[in-house]
Amino acid sequence: MNVVVCVKQVPDPNSVGQLDPSTHNLRRDGVEVVLDPGDEFGIEAGLQLAEAHGGTVTVVTMAPEKGLDAIRKALAMGAAKGVLVSDPSLAGADALTTAKVLAAAIRREGFDLVITATESTDGYTGVVPQALAEYLGVPAVTFAKAIESDGSSLTVRRQTEAGYDNVEAVLPAVVSVTAGVNEPRYPSLRGIMAAKSKPVDRLSVADLGLDGLVPGQAIVSVQPAEQRKAGEVVEDDGTGAHRVVEFLAAKKVI
Amino acid sequence: MPLDRVWVFAEVLDGQPITPALELLTRARSLGGTVEAVCLSPEAESAAAALGDHGATTVYAGTDPAYADLLLGGPGADALAALAAEHSPDLILFPTTYTSRDVAGRLAAKLDVPVISNGLDVSVDGGISVESSIFGASQNVSTRFEGRGPALALIRPKSFAAEPSGGGAPRIVPVEVPIADQHRSARVVERVIDKATGPKLEEAPIVISGGRGLGDPKNFALLEEFASLVGGAVGASRAVVDAGWVPYAMQVGQTGKTVKPTVYIACGISGAMQHTVGMKGAKNIVAINKDADAPIFKLADLGIVGDALKVVGQVIEELKARQG
Ligand SMILES: Cc1cc2nc3c(=O)[nH]c(=O)nc-3n(C[C@H](O)[C@H](O)[C@H](O)COP(=O)(O)OP(=O)(O)OC[C@H]3O[C@@H](n4cnc5c(N)ncnc54)[C@H](O)[C@@H]3O)c2cc1C
Ligand SMILES: Nc1ncnc2c1ncn2[C@@H]1O[C@H](COP(=O)(O)O)[C@@H](O)[C@H]1O
């Protein structure tokens, strides 16, 4: 089973994000960037399937040059190959453009299964997987909490608002995975060494035969939001519970 | 600039439209123009009455039984694309739910028009814009659609209250877009509903949420007891959902539910911004955390620095004593 995993590099989720005041794009300068923790689940899922059924895992990312670090981490975990699509014209790309570019890169590789996370940690538009599936002409089995496979089809437990669905899908397909679908492995020292000699293709928009990518949306204003004010904070000296009950009574909910 | 035609995509659960779709119909009524709903479910016709009640003058109803067994993303996008070509809506609103995200994402690619996610509101002066908030709701962003429509927007549940319009029964127009074979390669073989007792998380007047600070999954029983005494519902942080302590349906936050109860009580939750975006719209917030520097205290109306297990245990005793 040949699996393509889409991975994204994001500002360290523990840092507070900032927009560039003039371009309204996410600022990436001076901020530590990491492989999106959400994508580690996708890489792990791909590796498990390829290990069980043969085939390889290729990781694809659309990112500035620095995105190579995210690819190297995936290669160190066990992926066989990386594809980096990098192009100045892609700065600030919207979800649709991202999906278009990823689809073109993935089609070039060929695939049985494409894995993404359900949403990225920085942009969290949460629609790239579905748009990608439409461009690739395959079903999108989204929000997977568990995946099983016999090699040619998948059984996916798909999270829903009310519980979960069990979904059966014949390959090829796109699957988006939630955090907790598995326990991502750490790259071993050997993996890290081996990653250095694994192939990485670098592509531009022109290499993919795409042009005229025009974003259909523009940020028109950014304003600080009104913040809640802190109220009273008290040390629990044994009367904390009583304070809570009094508070509930004062708000007339008990 | 009033709009000519606004559509709301309405999923159906147990024969009724989901509440977030009714919220969007309520908002759509004030955007000017004709408000209509698109509903794809074998039960679409029985769901139409409630859609009409909330302002849809027409319901495009697709009742193919296969809609119940397939993932709606592919067939939903096909149906909407065909309907949009015929009726030219200016704007299609989708609630931010799993299935509506699937439909909206595919539809955007199919029509080659943008979709804006995580919306909290839409506005229509000088073009259609979507308001959203970023970085833990510390900043508000307005994003405008450019180019041709329809504009596609995903709006978070609970952004508006659903209110009936007093409108009459809607006109029902059957949707006869065939379901392509391509979409039949993925099927839902089983739907499982996590059984919950008491009020729904999104509707309860009191929400009591637990985080990693509760120490052990079995301590959630204490929150359940507290909730049952006050008619509340129990929520959770993602940390404990990811750890498998409680089901995802209980998660509050950016990637979980948005709740706006009269009182929200955070027990052993640090207050990471991805959690607080889901609960900072509560009228009142109480936090119990043993770390006086926990960020949750920055937005709590009442903060108790202490052991959540101990405090909740004592609250339960006192409530029982009050109720005799
Ligand atoms: C893309 C993305 C999306 C996310 N979406 C969500 C989301 O939807 N919802 C969500 O909740 N999180 C979300 N998160 C995770 C979020 O960043 C935090 O990691 C999570 O909310 C932390 O959960 P917690 O507060 O339970 O755990 P912790 O941060 O570990 O906090 C535990 C708290 O308990 C306190 N404590 C310990 N013992 C006790 C005790 N005995 N009594 C009282 N207090 C005690 C500690 O002082 C601490 O403050 C998301 C993260 C990312 C990157
Ligand atoms: N630039 C990108 N490169 C590779 N994968 C991406 C990129 N953007 C999004 N994805 C994938 O799509 C998922 C959802 O992203 P989003 O729709 O932006 O929230 C991410 O978690 C990734 O798996």
Side-chain angles (χ1 to χ4, degrees):
Chain A
M1 187 183 303
N2 289 320
V3 185
V4 173
V5 183
C6 297
V7 301
K8 191 176 182 189
Q9 193 173 48
V10 299
D12 185 339
N14 299 317
S15 69
V16 178
Q18 271 190 318
L19 292 186
D20 184 301
S22 59
T23 64
H24 291 157
N25 290 339
L26 198 62
R27 281 184 67 160
R28 294 179 193 275
D29 51 309
V31 189
E32 191 91 33
V33 286
V34 298
L35 169 64
D36 192 331
D39 286 330
E40 292 182 22
F41 299 98
I43 298 167
E44 179 64 38
L47 291 173
Q48 286 183 11
L49 288 166
E51 282 158 7
H53 304 288
T56 58
V57 173
T58 300
V59 288
V60 175
T61 191
M62 179 189 105
E65 192 60 24
K66 192 99 183 62
L68 209 52
D69 296 345
I71 290 185
R72 289 277 175 235
K73 177 153 187 199
L75 295 177
M77 285 171 74
K81 180 184 171 185
V83 177
L84 171 66
V85 185
S86 222
D87 200 299
S89 69
L90 293 172
D94 59 10
L96 205 59
T97 305
T98 304
K100 224 177 263 179
V101 168
L102 293 174
I106 291 166
R107 229 181 276 116
R108 227 169 149 264
E109 293 302 309
F111 65 95
D112 299 306
L113 175 65
V114 175
I115 302 179
T116 69
T118 54
E119 60 259 312
S120 57
T121 298
D122 58 347
Y124 60 98
T125 65
V127 289
V128 166
Q130 295 85 344
L132 184 58
E134 179 66 28
Y135 287 127
L136 294 172
V138 298
V141 185
T142 46
F143 311 101
K145 290 165 48 128
I147 306 173
E148 278 171 41
S149 177
D150 60 10
S152 61
S153 66
L154 299 178
T155 305
V156 172
R157 180 176 280 210
R158 175 181 186 263
Q159 194 162 282
T160 64
E161 279 84 12
Y164 61 88
D165 290 345
N166 283 323
V167 180
E168 276 174 17
V170 180
L171 297 178
V174 170
V175 170
S176 74
V177 298
T178 59
V181 67
N182 53 38
E183 192 72 58
R185 66 194 68 183
Y186 289 102
S188 65
L189 197 54
R190 247 178 78 206
I192 294 168
M193 296 310 292
K196 297 196 170 119
S197 55
K198 288 179 176 172
V200 178
D201 281 357
R202 288 140 174 277
L203 304 171
S204 67
V205 166
D207 293 331
L208 293 172
L210 297 170
D211 57 20
L213 299 170
V214 216
Q217 59 192 68
I219 293 182
V220 287
S221 79
V222 180
Q223 236 117 53
E226 213 181 293
Q227 296 301 315
R228 281 186 87 106
K229 292 203 177 47
E232 194 186 2
V233 180
V234 294
E235 197 74 41
D236 179 30
D237 55 2
T239 61
H242 184 64
R243 300 284 299 254
V244 173
V245 174
E246 293 286 283
F247 187 87
L248 296 178
K251 301 302 171 194
K252 303 194 167 40
V253 286
I254 54 170
Chain B
M1 185 196 75
L3 302 176
D4 283 335
R5 197 183 288 262
V6 180
W7 281 1
V8 170
F9 182 73
E11 286 166 60
V12 175
L13 188 70
D14 284 338
Q16 288 303 314
I18 60 170
T19 308
L22 303 179
E23 295 166 4
L24 295 184
L25 282 170
T26 307
R27 180 68 181 103
R29 275 160 23 211
S30 52
L31 296 174
T34 308
V35 174
E36 300 177 326
V38 178
C39 191
L40 306 173
S41 155
E43 299 171 313
E45 285 174 10
S46 66
L51 296 169
D53 263 353
H54 288 78
T57 53
T58 299
V59 174
Y60 299 95
T63 53
D64 192 321
Y67 285 129
D69 312 324
L70 300 177
L71 295 170
L72 222 43
D78 283 2
L80 277 167
L83 289 169
E86 195 179 336
H87 303 283
S88 312
D90 303 295
L91 169 66
I92 309 180
L93 297 173
F94 297 85
T96 304
T97 62
Y98 292 131
T99 292
S100 292
R101 270 165 70 179
D102 285 358
V103 176
R106 289 195 84 119
L107 182 62
K110 211 172 171 66
L111 299 179
D112 200 25
V113 297
V115 52
I116 299 180
S117 308
N118 292 306
L120 298 171
D121 200 358
V122 274
S123 62
V124 295
D125 353 295
I128 305 173
S129 304
V130 173
E131 325 304 326
S132 54
S133 71
I134 54 170
F135 306 142
S138 66
Q139 299 192 36
N140 295 331
V141 173
S142 178
T143 309
R144 192 174 57 218
F145 293 96
E146 322 248 275
R148 73 191 159 80
L152 310 181
L154 280 154
I155 309 287
R156 290 187 66 104
K158 290 259 152 185
S159 297
F160 320 101
E163 282 157 20
S165 62
R171 185 170 65 113
I172 294 182
V173 177
V175 175
E176 272 144 10
V177 182
I179 297 176
D181 282 342
Q182 177 210 334
H183 304 313
R184 296 184 196 267
S185 68
R187 316 190 137 262
V188 179
V189 291
E190 186 187 14
R191 292 194 195 272
V192 178
I193 312 273
D194 284 332
K195 52 183 181 318
T197 49
K200 279 173 67 182
L201 191 54
E202 301 95 310
E203 283 153 25
I206 304 185
V207 172
I208 303 157
S209 287
R212 192 145 42 194
L214 291 186
D216 191 289
K218 70 177 192 308
N219 292 329
F220 262 84
L222 216 52
L223 301 193
E224 297 286 352
E225 189 177 3
F226 184 177
S228 71
L229 286 167
V230 296
V234 178
S237 72
R238 175 159 134 181
V240 298
V241 171
D242 284 352
W245 293 11
V246 293
Y248 168 78
M250 287 167 65
Q251 183 175 318
V252 172
Q254 180 178 305
T255 44
K257 292 195 165 119
T258 302
V259 297
K260 294 190 174 176
T262 309
V263 182
Y264 186 88
I265 308 178
C267 308
I269 292 179
S270 59
M273 63 181 186
Q274 294 92 350
H275 183 78
T276 59
V277 289
M279 47 64 83
K280 66 199 300 179
K283 286 209 186 65
N284 301 283
I285 296 173
V286 177
I288 310 167
N289 194 305
K290 69 174 189 194
D291 173 10
D293 294 326
I296 192 76
F297 288 130
K298 292 209 180 74
L299 53 153
D301 301 290
L302 173 64
I304 307 287
V305 181
D307 180 357
L309 296 177
K310 194 170 130 220
V311 174
V312 172
Q314 290 169 352
V315 167
I316 290 170
E317 293 310 311
E318 187 165 337
L319 287 171
K320 281 184 177 158
R322 271 173 77 104
Q323 295 176 357

